[in-house]
Amino acid sequence: MTRYIDIKDVQKLVKSIGAETFITQLAGYIRADYLRWHDFVKSARVANHSDIGVIELMPASDDAQYAFKYVNGHPKNTQINMLTVMAFGTLADVRTGYPRLLSELTITTALRTAATSALVGRSLARHNSKSMAIIGNGAQSEFQVLAFKALLGIREVRAYDIDPAATQKLIRNLAGVPDLHIIAAKSVREAIQGADIVTTVTADKTNATILTPDMIEPGMHINAVGGDCPGKTELHADILRNARVIVEFEPQSRIEGDIQQMPADFPVTELWQVLAEMEPGRQTHDQVTVFDSVGFALEDFSALRYVNDLAEAKSIGSHIDLVPMPDNPKDLYQYVAPWVESDVNDSSRVVMTA
């Protein structure tokens, strides 16, 4: 049978250990898998675009497990009271192809995106960074703030969104978090002034310029999360030209990231090289660093591994008959034959009717 994790199960998993611990442990899984970079079959995600959004499949596998995520991106969904991003995924056994886990990934993707952001921030942000600006205060924002607090010790956050209600939502949701002070800023410029780390996580599917070179101060680390598909960017190209840029999987980032604005020979470094200490992260105190994050399937592989392990340890979730398991694997027809009745409580049992 296949383990099934729904939204309520993810709530139980997170509450059982706390969001910051969940993010920290998940970051450990992500780091461990990036350090096994050459063990994985990797590819850019498959994307079907429309005028109003995108639906994508994101696969990754090693020699033991295969994972994929179904995910969308529809910025106008909020106008009809639906999420911009929704996802689910599967973890399967490479040896047999059998699905071991079917899980919601909407909430989990927000957690893994934040975990990845903060994991990279530990290599690229200045030592002892304490202040952060977050531009775009929608569904991802709380997770990003908690991740940087948990992994880097961020204590002060200045938040800005073109929708003031979104900023107030962020402040309200994190009001009870100890040792965290969030201030509503009146503009992007006001929010990022003096910040050690700047996270941009906007939703509009457009070539936007959220940050311009005149706003950037020496030594800033920019965590650019929102630019994640063709035609969707957040940073002025001159910011990239004057920064050290880290990406997840270069072939995908060239198409979807902020570096889609740049020539094909624009130099970037892949994250696995930094984590493996084959390449440096931050090189100087005053260097501007950019994590051009688009989200990569390896991170979903890690997230599904972690959710499966945690659910097993906590005995959370249920099991479903997602695929048939007949006594005779050559006789699939028994499940639909008119003279056979399947026991609804045990899909492997077949009862002959008179």
Side-chain angles (χ1 to χ4, degrees), residues 142-164:
E142 291 88 351
F143 301 93
Q144 290 283 328
V145 171
L146 288 178
F148 277 92
K149 176 182 181 293
L151 272 70
L152 279 82
I154 290 299
R155 293 292 180 265
E156 179 183 288
V157 177
R158 293 192 292 277
Y160 175 76
D161 195 292
I162 57 174
D163 177 11

Side-chain angles (χ1 to χ4, degrees), residues 250 324 334:
E250 185 175 347
Q334 63 183 277

Side-chain angles (χ1 to χ4, degrees), residues 169-178 180 182:
K169 178 267 306 179
L170 168 65
I171 293 172
R172 183 173 60 253
N173 282 346
L174 298 184
V177 177
L180 182 65
I182 305 177

Side-chain angles (χ1 to χ4, degrees), residues 13-28 111-112 114-116 118 122 142-155 173-182 306 310:
L13 289 173
V14 175
K15 289 181 179 180
S16 70
I17 58 175
E20 291 186 47
T21 298
F22 189 102
I23 289 170
T24 301
Q25 292 181 354
L26 176 52
L111 289 157
R112 76 90 162 125
T116 303
R122 289 198 300 195
E142 291 88 351
F143 301 93
Q144 290 283 328
V145 171
L146 288 178
F148 277 92
K149 176 182 181 293
L151 272 70
L152 279 82
I154 290 299
R155 293 292 180 265
N173 282 346
L174 298 184
V177 177
D179 301 319
L180 182 65
H181 182 48
I182 305 177
Y306 174 62
L310 187 61

Side-chain angles (χ1 to χ4, degrees), residues 11 21 26 72 137 147 151 153 169-170 183 188 212 236 282:
Q11 288 178 297
T21 298
L26 176 52
N72 77 310
N137 303 155
L151 272 70
K169 178 267 306 179
L170 168 65
I183 304 166
V188 173
T212 55
H236 190 287
R282 169 171 295 275

Side-chain angles (χ1 to χ4, degrees), residues 65-126:
Q65 297 181 102
Y66 171 93
F68 83 86
K69 179 171 77 174
Y70 167 103
V71 62
N72 77 310
H74 287 74
K76 293 183 180 180
N77 270 5
T78 54
Q79 298 174 13
I80 54 175
N81 202 33
M82 294 181 69
L83 291 168
T84 296
V85 176
M86 296 166 280
F88 64 87
T90 293
L91 187 67
D93 184 345
V94 165
R95 184 177 59 87
T96 64
Y98 187 86
R100 296 297 180 188
L101 173 71
L102 175 64
S103 177
E104 88 78 43
L105 282 182
T106 306
I107 300 166
T108 306
T109 292
L111 289 157
R112 76 90 162 125
T113 301
T116 303
S117 292
L119 175 66
V120 178
R122 289 198 300 195
S123 294
L124 297 186
R126 288 177 294 197

